[in-house]
Amino acid sequence: LDVFVAADSGPMHLPAAAGTPTIDLFSETLPELYAPLGNDCITIGPQDLEPSSVAARVAAHLTQIRSPRGDAGPR
C-alpha cells in the first residue's frame, strides 16, 4: 500500500508495523494510548475531526511522504 487510512481499530496497527504510512482517525479513545507508532503515522484526534481540517492534514501528510524524486508515485 502507498498509504492506509483507518478509524480507531486493531487493523490500523498492521500497516504501521509493516512500515506503511498510516493515517489514523480517533473519536472516542485516547490516541496517546492507542495510536500506532511509526515515522510515517499521523493521528487525527477528536479535536481535529472537522472535515476540512481532516482533509488538510491528510493532504499535508500525503505531500510529505511522497517519493524522494518528488513525484506522487509509490515509495
Side-chain angles (χ1 to χ4, degrees):
L1 295 173
D2 290 331
V3 67
F4 185 83
V5 180
D8 175 20
S9 64
M12 72 183 170
H13 295 277
L14 297 173
T20 299
T22 305
I23 299 169
D24 312 305
L25 306 171
F26 281 78
S27 64
E28 298 295 324
T29 56
L30 298 173
E32 300 84 20
L33 296 176
Y34 300 107
L37 304 175
N39 292 335
D40 289 335
C41 296
I42 65 165
T43 298
I44 300 174
Q47 70 282 2
D48 296 330
L49 290 180
E50 186 68 34
S52 60
S53 176
V54 171
R57 296 230 14 232
V58 168
H61 188 63
L62 293 176
T63 299
Q64 177 185 349
I65 62 172
R66 284 185 171 179
S67 72
R69 298 182 314 270
D71 64 8
R75 298 182 329 134

